[in-house]
C-alpha cells in the first residue's frame, strides 16, 4: 500500500465502497467516473480522503476492522441451502485453532431458543490476519439445518484459547422467491384500474379523494366490472405544502400515511365530539368545503388545515371517551382505548419518532415563524436520540400521541379497505406504490440519518428524455451502514408497506442492485452508480413478501441491464411493462405475445402522457412551454416523431385486428383518442400473457393532461389535477363496463 499512488489508493477505496469505475448509459455510451466524483461520494459516505495518509488509514481500517468483531452484523441464508456457514473470528496463536470450540445459541424473534450447539475441531479456517502483532483466525461454523424462514438472534462464544470471545449476529433465513398468488401460477390473469387517489372528485369529499372514495371505487370496479386489482399512487405522509412537498414520490415518510386521505366522517369521534360537529356545521367551514370540492386542483394546504382543525377536537373527545387520568400517563378504560394502545406498542420506536418529528416540526414553525427543515433546527434537536429531543418528547407527550392517533385512524381505515377487497373476491386487491426514497429534509431523513448519505442525492444519468440527467432530491441509503444495521430500516420499510395491500410496486427497483449517486452541489451528469448488496436485499424482500402474501412488481424502466431483469425474474419480482416503451429496434411496437407472463402491463404512467394527451401531443406542448427542449429544432423533431409513432401504433393495432371501424393506419383518420381507439389499445395489452393489466382511470374517462411532468415544479400543476368527472358520474359512465367487457373477452380476467 505504501508504494501506491494517491490515485491508486482512491480507486481502490472507491471500488471497495461500491463506486463503479465506469458505466454505460441507455444509448450504450461509456462514462468513466471522475476522481472528483469518487472523492465527493466517498466523503458523502463518511470516509476521510483529504490526503494520501487519510486514504491509507481508511483502507487499513477497511481491512482490519472486521477481524476485531467476533461476528458479522448479519448473516443471510436461503431456506434450501444445506451447506451454509457463518463466520466467527478470534485472536489465536499459530495452530491454536485446532483447539477452539464455538458454542452457539439461536433465538427466534419472540425470544424462544430454537437451536443450540457446539462446534469443535475440524472447523474450516477461512483466513488469518496479523493486526498490531496479534494473530486472528476466521472460522466457518456450519449453520443449524432446517430452520424455518424468519429472523433470529444468534449468539456465540469461544473456548479453548487463553481468552473467551463472544459475539452476536442477526440471522435471516429467507426463501428464494417472492410470493405469487396461485391463480397466476395456474395460468390465470387479471385486470384492474389505476388511479391517483387525491384526484378523485366526489359530492361528499373534502376537496381531495379519500378512503371512502376509494372504497366506493373498489366496490364499483370489483363488484360491477370484475376488476381484480386497484392500483394507487403512493399514500405516504407528506407535508402537504404546495408546490414543493406534495409529490408522493418525495414524501415526508414512507412508513406512515398522508392524513389528508382520512375519511373523518366515518370515525367514531367525529360523530361524538360536539366541538367537531359544531365546527363542521359552521357556515364558513361548509363554504370552504364547497370551494375545495369545486376547485380544478387539489389545494393541499387548505385541505390539510381543514382536516387538522377537525382532528384536534376529535382527539380530545377520544381521550375523554376512552381514558381515565391525565397526561403523561392516562389509562385506557375501553376496548377502543386498548386497541390504540396496542397499535402504539406494536409500532414501537418508529411511530414514536415519527410523531416526535411531527411535534418538533410544528413547534419550530411556530417559534421561528417560517417553515424550516430539520437541518436548520437548533443543534440539540437535530437527532431523535438527543437528550433534548427525549426531553421534548416527555414534555409534549399529549401532542405526540395525537399524531399517533392520526396514524392509527389511517391504519384502521387501510385495513378495512384490504379486508373489503378480500371479501369482494378480488384476486389481488389493493396495489400500493412504494417510493424509492424520502425528502432529505423530512421525517425519515431525520430519523434514519445514520444510514443515509446526506451529502449526496440520487437520480438518473443523462438520456434522451433528460439530456442533463435527473436529480430526484433525496439522499440514498448508505449500503455499508445499512448492512451494519442488519438491514433493519429496509426490513421495517418493507414490512410496513407490504401489509397494506395485495401487491406492491417498488419504484426504481434497480436500486436493489445499484443506484445513481450525485454528490451534493454537482450536476446530475457528474454522478455515477454505487452498488448495493442485491443478494441480501432480494432475500429480505422475498421473506417479507411471503410473510405478507403480497405480490411484488419492480418498476424496471430506464437504464436496466439484462442481468438485472434476469435476477428479478428468478426472485419472482414481476416486471413493469409500459406500452409506450415496448418497442422493437426500428421503433415499431412489440406484439402482445412478446410481453413476459410475470409482468404488469400498463399503457402509461404518472410521468407520461395519458393516451388522449399523447395522441394530441399535449405533452409536447407542455414541455415546449416549460422550455424543456434544447431548441426549436428539438421541438419540431418531437412533433414529427409523434406523428410517426401514432402511425406505428395504428399499424400494430391493425396487425391484431383491433383497429376501430373507420380508422386506418393514417393518424389523420383519427385526430383524437376516441373511446373506441382507447379500448383498442387496452385490448392490445389484454392479449399479452401478462399476469396483470392495469387501466388508467385517466384513460378510461379521456383525460388529456398528465399527472406529472418531470423537470417541472411550478411550470405545471404536478400532483394536483383532479379528474374531470366526479365519482358519481364515473360510475354511471358506459365506458367502464364496455372496457371491462372487452378485457374479459380478451382473457385478461380471473
Amino acid at each position: 500500500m505504501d508504494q501506491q499512488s494517491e490515485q491508486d489508493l482512491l480507486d481502490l477505496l472507491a471500488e471497495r465502497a461500491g463506486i463503479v469505475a465506469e458505466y454505460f448509459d441507455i444509448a450504450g455510451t461509456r462514462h468513466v467516473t471522475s476522481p472528483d466524483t469518487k472523492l465527493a461520494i466517498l466523503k458523502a459516505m463518511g470516509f476521510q480522503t483529504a490526503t494520501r495518509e487519510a486514504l491509507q488509514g481508511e483502507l487499513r481500517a477497511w481491512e482490519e476492522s472486521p477481524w476485531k468483531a467476533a461476528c458479522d452484523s448479519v448473516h443471510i441464508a436461503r431456506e434450501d441451502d444445506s451447506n451454509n456457514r457463518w463466520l466467527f473470528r478470534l485472536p489465536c496463536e499459530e495452530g491454536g485453532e485446532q483447539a477452539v470450540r464455538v458454542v452457539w445459541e439461536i433465538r427466534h424473534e419472540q425470544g424462544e431458543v430454537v437451536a443450540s450447539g457446539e462446534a469443535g475441531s475440524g472447523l474450516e479456517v477461512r483466513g488469518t490476519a496479523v493486526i498490531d502483532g496479534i494473530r486472528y483466525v476466521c472460522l466457518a461454523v456450519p449453520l443449524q439445518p432446517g430452520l424455518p424462514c424468519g429472523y433470529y438472534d444468534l449468539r456465540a462464544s469461544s473456548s479453548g484459547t487463553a481468552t473467551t470471545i463472544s459475539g452476536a449476529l442477526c440471522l435471516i433465513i429467507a426463501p428464494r422467491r417472492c410470493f405469487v398468488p396461485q391463480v397466476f401460477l395456474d395460468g390465470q390473469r387479471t385486470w384492474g384500474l389505476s388511479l391517483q387517489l387525491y384526484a378523485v372528485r366526489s359530492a361528499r369529499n373534502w376537496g381531495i379523494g379519500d378512503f371512502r372514495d376509494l372504497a366506493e371505487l373498489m366496490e364499483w370496479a370489483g363488484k360491477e366490472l370484475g376488476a381484480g386489482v386497484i392500483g394507487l399512487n403512493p399514500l405516504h405522509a407528506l407535508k402537504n405544502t404546495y408546490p414543493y412537498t406534495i409529490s408522493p414520490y418525495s414524501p415526508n415518510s414512507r412508513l406512515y400515511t398522508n392524513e389528508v386521505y382520512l375519511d373523518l366522517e366515518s370515525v367514531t369521534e367525529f360523530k361524538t365530539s360536539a366541538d367537531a360537529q359544531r365546527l363542521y356545521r359552521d357556515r364558513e367551514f361548509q363554504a370552504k368545503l364547497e370551494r375545495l370540492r369545486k376547485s380544478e386542483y387539489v389545494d393541499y394546504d387548505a385541505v390539510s388545515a381543514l382536516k387538522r382543525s377537525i382532528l384536534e377536537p376529535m382527539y380530545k373527545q377520544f381521550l375523554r371517551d376512552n381514558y381515565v387520568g391525565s397526561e403523561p400517563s392516562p389509562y385506557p378504560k375501553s376496548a377502543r382505548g386498548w386497541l390504540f394502545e396496542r397499535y402504539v406498542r406494536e409500532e414501537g420506536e418508529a411511530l414514536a419518532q415519527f410523531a416526535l418529528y411531527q411535534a418538533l416540526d410544528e413547534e419550530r414553525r411556530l417559534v421561528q415563524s417560517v417553515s424550516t427543515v430539520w437541518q436548520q433546527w437548533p443543534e440539540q434537536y437535530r437527532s431523535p436520540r438527543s437528550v433534548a429531543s427525549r426531553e421534548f418528547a416527555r414534555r409534549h407527550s399529549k401532542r405526540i400521541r395525537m399524531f399517533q392517533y392520526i396514524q392509527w385512524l389511517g391504519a384502521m381505515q387501510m385495513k378495512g379497505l384490504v379486508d373489503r377487497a378480500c371479501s369482494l373476491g378480488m384476486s389481488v386487491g389493493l396495489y400500493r406504490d412504494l417510493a424509492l426514497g424520502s425528502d432529505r429534509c423530512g421525517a425519515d431523513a431525520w430519523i434514519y440519518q445514520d444510514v443515509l448519505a446526506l451529502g449526496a442525492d440520487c437520480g438518473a444519468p443523462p438520456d434522451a428524455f433528460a439530456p442533463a440527467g435527473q436529480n430526484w432530491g433525496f439522499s440514498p441509503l448508505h449500503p455499508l451502514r445499512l448492512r451494519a444495521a442488519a438491514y433493519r430500516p429496509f426490513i421495517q420499510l418493507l414490512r410496513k408497506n407490504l401489509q397494506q395491500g395485495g401487491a406492491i410496486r417498488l419504484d426504481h427497483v434497480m436500486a436493489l442492485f445499484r443506484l445513481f449517486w450525485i454528490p451534493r452541489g454537482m450536476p446530475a451528469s457528474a454522478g455515477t452508480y454505487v452498488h448495493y448488496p442485491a443478494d441480501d436485499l432480494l432475500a429480505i424482500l422475498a421473506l417479507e413478501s411471503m410473510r405478507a402474501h403480497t405480490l411484488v412488481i419492480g418498476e424496471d424502466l430506464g437504464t436496466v441491464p439484462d442481468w438485472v431483469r434476469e435476477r428479478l425474474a428468478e426472485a419472482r419480482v414481476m416486471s413493469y411493462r409500459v406500452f409506450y416503451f415496448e418497442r422493437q429496434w426500428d421503433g415499431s411496437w412489440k406484439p402482445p405475445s412478446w410481453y413476459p407472463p410475470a409482468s404488469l402491463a400498463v399503457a402509461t404512467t404518472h410521468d407520461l402522457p395519458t393516451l388522449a394527451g399523447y395522441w394530441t401531443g399535449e405533452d409536447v406542448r407542455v414541455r415546449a412551454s416549460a422550455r424543456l427542449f434544447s431548441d426549436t429544432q428539438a421541438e419540431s423533431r418531437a412533433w414529427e416523431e409523434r406523428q410517426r409513432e401514432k402511425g406505428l401504433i395504428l399499424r400494430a393495432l391493425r396487425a391484431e385486428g383491433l383497429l376501430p371501424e373507420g380508422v386506418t393506419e393514417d393518424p389523420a383518420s383519427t385526430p383524437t383518442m376516441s373511446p373506441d381507439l382507447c379500448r383498442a389499445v387496452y385490448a392490445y395489452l389484454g392479449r399479452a400473457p401478462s399476469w396483470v393489466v392495469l387501466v388508467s382511470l385517466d384513460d378510461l374517462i379521456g383525460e388529456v393532461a398528465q399527472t406529472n411532468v418531470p423537470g417541472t415544479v411550478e411550470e405545471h400543476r404536478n400532483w394536483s389535477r383532479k379528474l374531470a368527472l366526479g365519482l358519481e358520474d364515473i360510475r354511471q359512465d358506459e365506458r367502464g363496463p364496455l372496457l371491462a367487457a372487452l378485457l374479459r373477452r380478451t382473457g385478461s380476467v380471473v
Side-chain angles (χ1 to χ4, degrees):
M1 189 186 296
D2 291 338
Q3 303 304 316
Q4 292 175 300
S5 69
E6 187 169 335
Q7 184 61 53
D8 289 339
L9 295 171
L10 172 63
D11 291 342
L12 181 58
L13 183 59
E15 179 186 359
R16 292 184 174 180
I19 303 169
V20 303
E22 62 180 33
Y23 70 91
F24 292 85
D25 64 23
I26 197 169
T29 304
R30 177 172 173 258
H31 297 261
V32 177
T33 305
S34 72
D36 286 346
T37 295
K38 289 180 180 180
L39 280 168
I41 291 179
L42 287 169
K43 182 179 179 182
M45 288 181 164
F47 290 104
Q48 300 300 314
T49 60
T51 64
R52 185 176 188 278
E53 290 70 25
L55 288 167
Q56 287 178 319
E58 292 289 6
L59 285 165
R60 190 175 300 111
W62 186 284
E63 294 171 355
E64 296 178 355
S65 295
W67 290 98
K68 298 179 181 180
C71 298
D72 295 331
S73 59
V74 61
H75 180 82
I76 298 180
R78 299 292 186 158
E79 62 178 334
D80 56 358
D81 189 348
S82 59
N83 193 34
N84 199 274
R85 285 166 166 73
W86 52 276
L87 303 179
F88 190 86
R89 306 175 193 87
L90 72 163
C92 186
E93 297 290 340
E94 184 74 38
E97 55 265 27
Q98 298 300 319
V100 172
R101 303 194 70 78
V102 179
V103 179
W104 50 267
E105 178 182 86
I106 298 176
R107 293 179 180 269
H108 200 270
E109 291 167 271
Q110 287 73 38
E112 176 189 356
V113 176
V114 295
S116 60
E118 182 176 322
S121 60
L123 286 174
E124 178 188 350
V125 177
R126 285 285 176 88
T128 62
V130 177
I131 302 171
D132 297 330
I134 300 173
R135 179 180 182 270
Y136 289 84
V137 63
C138 177
L139 302 174
V141 184
L143 181 64
Q144 170 76 22
L147 288 173
C149 289
Y151 299 91
Y152 300 88
D153 177 34
L154 188 156
R155 298 185 178 275
S157 62
S158 67
S159 62
T161 58
T163 305
T164 297
I165 301 297
S166 298
L169 61 81
C170 173
L171 173 64
I172 302 175
I173 310 294
R176 292 199 177 273
R177 297 182 181 89
C178 294
F179 172 80
V180 172
Q182 190 60 44
V183 290
F184 296 147
L185 299 178
D186 291 341
Q188 299 183 69
R189 295 178 292 149
T190 193
W191 77 281
L193 290 175
S194 65
L195 59 117
Q196 305 288 319
L197 181 56
Y198 62 79
V200 176
R201 292 180 184 269
S202 71
R204 50 139 298 275
N205 74 30
W206 293 24
I208 192 168
D210 62 21
F211 288 145
R212 195 194 306 187
D213 292 331
L214 178 55
E216 292 182 13
L217 264 168
M218 194 164 61
E219 291 280 336
W220 170 65
K223 186 181 293 185
E224 299 180 32
L225 303 186
V229 57
I230 297 291
L232 299 167
N233 58 290
L235 304 179
H236 307 317
L238 302 176
K239 290 188 177 180
N240 298 311
T241 301
Y242 181 82
Y244 297 106
T245 61
I246 62 170
S247 168
Y249 291 93
S250 186
N252 191 23
S253 173
R254 293 187 289 169
L255 292 175
Y256 293 102
T257 303
N258 193 344
E259 63 191 67
V260 296
Y261 293 125
L262 288 173
D263 169 22
L264 297 187
E265 293 171 70
S266 69
V267 178
T268 299
E269 287 77 42
F270 176 83
K271 302 166 186 174
T272 60
S273 169
D275 291 338
Q277 285 294 309
R278 189 180 306 110
L279 178 57
Y280 178 71
R281 293 194 179 98
D282 179 77
R283 182 177 301 174
E284 184 177 345
F285 189 96
Q286 286 296 318
K288 289 179 181 177
L289 271 184
E290 193 60 25
R291 285 196 299 272
L292 291 172
R293 288 188 187 116
K294 290 181 177 178
S295 65
E296 183 179 358
Y297 298 98
V298 175
D299 185 338
Y300 285 87
D301 299 79
V303 171
S304 180
L306 217 58
K307 290 205 170 186
R308 181 65 65 82
S309 71
I310 294 290
L311 280 163
E312 300 270 3
M314 284 173 57
Y315 175 62
K316 293 176 182 177
Q317 188 67 39
F318 171 74
L319 292 179
R320 286 193 293 269
D321 291 346
N322 301 285
Y323 283 82
V324 293
S326 58
E327 297 293 337
S329 301
Y331 189 80
K333 64 178 182 180
S334 68
R336 187 167 172 80
W338 281 111
L339 283 173
F340 173 63
E341 291 296 322
R342 185 174 71 179
Y343 170 77
V344 171
R345 183 175 64 253
E346 290 175 350
E347 290 293 311
E349 187 178 18
L351 178 62
Q353 291 185 341
F354 173 73
L356 170 58
Y357 172 89
Q358 294 284 83
L360 264 169
D361 186 55
E362 181 180 64
E363 183 184 77
R364 297 320 307 171
R365 280 186 279 115
L366 291 172
V367 170
Q368 298 178 227
S369 301
V370 292
S371 179
T372 62
V373 296
W374 65 265
Q375 292 91 338
Q376 297 170 331
W377 292 352
E379 181 70 31
Q380 66 266 31
Y381 294 129
R382 293 182 194 171
S383 167
R385 288 169 288 280
S386 70
V387 173
S389 292
R390 292 197 299 270
E391 175 60 20
F392 181 93
R394 187 190 65 79
R395 289 186 289 106
H396 297 82
S397 60
K398 186 173 182 179
R399 192 65 180 170
I400 287 169
R401 283 174 68 83
M402 191 197 80
F403 290 116
Q404 293 174 325
Y405 166 77
I406 291 171
Q407 289 304 317
W408 176 58
L409 296 180
M412 287 196 300
Q413 292 190 0
M414 275 303 306
K415 185 179 185 305
L417 289 164
V418 172
D419 291 345
R420 183 55 183 151
C422 290
S423 66
L424 286 169
M426 301 179 79
S427 54
V428 175
L430 292 182
Y431 157 55
R432 297 283 303 274
D433 204 343
L434 174 60
L436 171 62
S438 301
D439 181 0
R440 62 174 176 251
C441 300
D444 283 355
W446 181 69
I447 295 167
Y448 298 108
Q449 55 189 284
D450 293 344
V451 294
L452 291 171
L454 293 173
D457 296 324
C458 51
D463 56 23
F465 187 76
Q470 298 178 55
N471 186 323
W472 297 328
F474 45 80
S475 298
L477 282 166
H478 191 310
L480 305 176
R481 292 178 185 168
L482 185 61
R483 179 174 171 80
Y487 301 111
R488 282 186 294 272
F490 181 69
I491 294 166
Q492 188 177 53
L493 177 68
L494 289 178
R495 191 171 294 172
K496 280 289 297 179
N497 284 274
L498 285 164
Q499 69 186 10
Q500 295 183 334
I504 192 169
R505 172 187 179 271
L506 301 183
D507 189 38
H508 198 72
V509 72
M510 294 80 74
L512 298 175
F513 300 84
R514 65 178 193 176
L515 188 59
F516 195 77
W517 284 37
I518 305 164
R520 185 69 46 74
M522 288 188 177
S525 58
T528 194
Y529 285 100
V530 173
H531 286 300
Y532 282 75
D535 288 343
D536 290 358
L537 299 179
L538 283 171
I540 293 168
L541 176 62
L543 175 56
E544 291 298 329
S545 167
M546 281 292 191
R547 283 185 156 195
H549 285 195
T550 301
L551 187 67
V552 179
I553 297 100
E555 187 265 292
D556 51 351
L557 306 177
T559 306
V560 190
D562 290 340
W563 62 269
V564 168
R565 280 208 170 106
E566 291 168 3
R567 292 281 303 281
L568 291 170
E570 290 170 3
R572 280 189 180 160
V573 175
M574 288 173 58
S575 183
Y576 187 74
R577 298 302 172 106
V578 180
F579 174 73
Y580 291 148
F581 299 151
E582 291 303 300
R583 315 271 284 276
Q584 302 187 64
W585 64 270
D586 61 354
S588 62
W589 260 254
K590 293 178 181 177
S593 59
W594 287 23
Y595 285 57
S599 67
L600 180 144
V602 297
T604 184
T605 76
H606 54 269
D607 285 336
L608 297 170
T610 64
L611 284 178
Y614 179 90
W615 211 256
T616 61
E618 176 66 16
D619 60 310
V620 179
R621 280 191 286 272
V622 169
R623 293 185 69 200
S625 65
R627 299 182 178 178
L628 297 180
F629 290 110
S630 57
D631 51 41
T632 55
Q633 288 182 331
E635 181 186 348
S636 296
R637 287 194 298 271
W639 282 111
E640 292 168 4
E641 181 64 15
R642 180 59 51 83
Q643 284 300 106
R644 190 179 80 88
E645 289 173 346
K646 288 160 64 175
L648 291 172
I649 290 174
L650 294 171
R651 184 186 304 173
L653 294 176
R654 182 186 179 192
E656 291 291 323
L658 292 171
L659 273 184
E661 185 177 351
V663 176
T664 70
E665 292 182 22
D666 182 0
S669 67
T670 177
T672 61
M673 176 60 62
S674 67
D676 286 343
L677 184 57
C678 176
R679 283 193 289 274
V681 171
Y682 278 105
Y684 188 89
L685 289 178
R687 290 185 176 181
S690 302
W691 288 343
V692 182
V693 174
L694 275 187
V695 176
S696 165
L697 190 55
D698 281 351
D699 288 342
L700 183 67
I701 65 173
E703 291 285 359
V704 174
Q706 70 191 74
T707 296
N708 175 57
V709 177
T712 67
V713 178
E714 297 179 84
E715 301 91 338
H716 183 263
R717 289 295 295 265
N718 297 322
W719 313 115
S720 302
R721 174 185 53 80
K722 293 184 186 180
L723 296 171
L725 295 182
L727 179 56
E728 299 80 7
D729 295 325
I730 291 173
R731 296 184 65 172
Q732 299 301 317
D733 196 298
E734 66 173 4
R735 287 173 287 187
L738 285 173
L739 183 53
L742 182 63
L743 287 172
R744 286 197 293 271
R745 285 200 300 274
T746 58
S748 283
V749 63
V750 172

